[in-house]
């Protein structure tokens, strides 16, 4: 197997001696073999996983990260799992080697399992891009990104905009944010969580909306400090890499200097849509602390 993919500006080749199952969401990002990949992943399937050597940088129930002479290595597992299912090792700035347990081939069809093999967040931050946990809606040619911790209502608010305003959901769980021609753009991502909605689409960002459940609908523009704090918690950042943390912080600061970040306290009615629509279309000269109410 030899395929080329492009996610954001990152173009890469994936090779494997045998054919392997690839999630439909990931195949959306396949491009022509004529493209010029800047990175190559070689995937090997074995009955055992190699043990990386190097200093341990981070350890979680589903991941152990090592610092090696060539970059980074990982043992990759899943939350609730009893063993690692893959290993990842960078061989240079242009190549990485992935070893997958032979017992886990069938699980590759899950987009979270497959995508976790590639340490994509490392490649994205190198290209000034951020992975945001959000529902990504396209409306009137612009992106509205609904972000919040899990189970707070991202998909619900996205569905309300789809039902009452005819918006289009590009991804129900993630968006890649990158700057294009001096404007921040939301792009598709190959993982969509339980929403099962994953599409391609590069769309200029109109606004980021941080959600909070409530009995009344209320929206206010967040101050830069408030916006930074809430956004930082919803962006994928390798906390063990100081340089990447600093770079991510710089990108977030640039993002909120250009894109308004609102907090919407809301119920699950059309009134929530109307409340937010009042400030987004058109966006008026609201300052941090200004508020709109709908009862």
């Amino acid at each position: 197997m030899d395929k080329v993919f492009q996610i954001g500006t990152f173009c890469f080749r994936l090779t494997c001696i045998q054919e392997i199952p690839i999630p439909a969401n990931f195949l959306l990002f396949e491009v022509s073999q004529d493209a010029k990949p800047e990175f190559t992943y070689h995937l090997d399937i074995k009955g055992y996983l190699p043990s990386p050597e190097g200093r341990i940088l981070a350890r979680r129930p589903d991941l152990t990260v090592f610092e090696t002479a060539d970059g980074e290595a990982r043992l990759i597992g899943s939350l609730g799992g009893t063993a690692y299912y893959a290993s990842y090792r960078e061989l240079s700035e242009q190549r990485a080697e992935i070893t997958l347990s032979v017992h886990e081939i069938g699980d590759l069809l899950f987009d979270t399992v497959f995508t976790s093999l590639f340490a994509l967040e490392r490649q994205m931050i190198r290209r000034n891009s951020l992975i945001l946990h959000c529902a990504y809606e396209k409306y009137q040619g612009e992106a509205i990104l609904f972000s919040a911790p899990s189970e707070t209502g991202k998909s619900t608010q996205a569905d309300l905009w789809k039902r009452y305003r005819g918006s289009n959901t590009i991804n129900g769980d993630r968006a890649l944010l990158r700057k294009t021609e001096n404007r921040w753009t939301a792009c598709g991502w190959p993982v969509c969580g339980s929403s099962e909605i994953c599409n391609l689409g590069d769309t200029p960002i109109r606004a980021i909306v941080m959600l909070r459940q409530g009995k009344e609908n209320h929206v206010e523009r967040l101050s830069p400090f408030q916006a930074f704090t809430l956004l930082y918690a919803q962006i994928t950042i390798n906390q063990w890499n100081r340089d990447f943390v600093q770079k991510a912080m710089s990108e977030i600061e640039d993002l909120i200097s250009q894109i308004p970040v609102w907090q919407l306290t809301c119920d699950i009615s059309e009134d929530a849509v109307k409340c937010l629509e009042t400030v987004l279309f058109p966006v008026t000269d609201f300052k941090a602390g200004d508020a709109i109410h709908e009862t």
Side-chain angles (χ1 to χ4, degrees):
M1 186 197 72
D2 186 346
K3 292 183 178 292
V4 179
F5 299 90
Q6 181 161 334
I7 300 175
T9 60
F10 179 45
C11 185
F12 59 95
R13 170 168 273 113
L14 172 60
T15 66
C16 184
I17 294 176
Q18 66 187 83
E19 292 295 320
I20 58 171
I22 298 177
N25 293 345
F26 210 93
L27 285 172
L28 292 173
F29 296 84
E30 185 177 7
V31 295
S32 168
Q33 290 283 334
D34 295 333
K36 297 180 179 179
E38 55 196 292
F39 198 91
T40 298
Y41 298 93
H42 178 71
L43 177 63
D44 198 6
I45 299 172
K46 294 182 178 180
Y48 65 93
L49 300 180
S51 298
E53 296 180 357
R55 181 170 67 95
I56 293 179
L57 298 175
R59 192 194 299 272
R60 303 191 318 226
D62 60 336
L63 179 71
T64 301
V65 182
F66 303 81
E67 180 182 37
T68 70
D70 298 310
E72 189 174 285
R74 298 182 175 189
L75 288 172
I76 305 165
S78 57
L79 289 174
T82 57
Y84 296 113
Y85 62 80
S87 68
Y88 165 92
R89 182 167 66 97
E90 293 170 351
L91 305 177
S92 71
E93 292 185 355
Q94 291 81 38
R95 297 184 65 84
E97 176 183 76
I98 299 167
T99 304
L100 176 73
S101 168
V102 67
H103 306 293
E104 304 296 333
I105 294 177
D107 287 342
L108 289 182
L109 283 174
F110 294 103
D111 55 18
T112 51
V113 172
F114 189 84
T115 304
S116 68
L117 299 175
F118 306 104
L120 288 175
E121 74 284 353
R122 285 175 59 78
Q123 302 296 338
M124 296 303 119
I125 195 63
R126 286 172 173 151
R127 290 160 181 80
N128 307 316
S129 301
L130 302 168
I131 305 165
L132 177 64
H133 182 215
C134 67
Y136 165 13
E137 286 295 298
K138 183 177 181 179
Y139 179 65
Q140 295 187 0
E142 294 181 294
I144 306 172
L145 307 179
F146 294 100
S147 184
S150 297
E151 308 301 324
T152 307
K154 299 185 305 297
S155 296
T156 300
Q157 291 302 314
D159 288 344
L160 289 174
W161 274 78
K162 186 174 184 178
R163 182 189 312 169
Y164 294 115
R165 296 297 182 269
S167 65
N168 181 33
T169 304
I170 303 301
N171 192 301
D173 194 61
R174 293 285 191 279
L176 180 68
L177 314 185
R178 64 185 181 92
K179 207 168 183 182
T180 304
E181 296 180 354
N182 207 37
R183 183 170 184 183
W184 280 91
T185 299
C187 310
W189 188 251
V191 175
C192 62
S194 60
S195 74
E196 299 184 356
I197 302 175
C198 183
N199 296 294
L200 297 178
D202 292 2
T203 312
I205 301 171
R206 180 77 168 192
I208 300 172
V209 182
M210 310 304 297
L211 296 176
R212 184 170 61 183
Q213 295 176 347
K215 294 182 180 180
E216 293 185 354
N217 296 303
H218 167 84
V219 60
E220 65 178 284
R221 186 163 179 177
L222 296 176
S223 69
F225 175 78
Q226 292 170 316
F228 182 96
T229 301
L230 292 176
L231 273 174
Y232 186 87
Q234 300 304 320
I235 288 174
T236 303
I237 300 174
N238 292 160
Q239 299 291 345
W240 57 86
N241 189 314
R242 182 178 299 177
D243 290 341
F244 284 4
V245 169
Q246 291 295 325
K247 189 169 181 57
M249 292 174 67
S250 177
E251 294 300 330
I252 295 171
E253 288 175 352
D254 186 78
L255 174 68
I256 62 180
S257 73
Q258 297 192 33
I259 303 298
V261 182
W262 302 84
Q263 182 164 74
L264 175 65
T265 304
C266 56
D267 59 18
I268 54 174
S269 70
E270 185 181 4
D271 286 339
V273 176
K274 292 178 180 178
C275 182
L276 182 60
E277 185 179 40
T278 300
V279 298
L280 296 192
F281 299 97
V283 174
T284 55
D285 294 329
F286 279 82
K287 299 178 182 178
D290 289 346
I292 293 291
H293 297 266
E294 286 283 341
T295 60

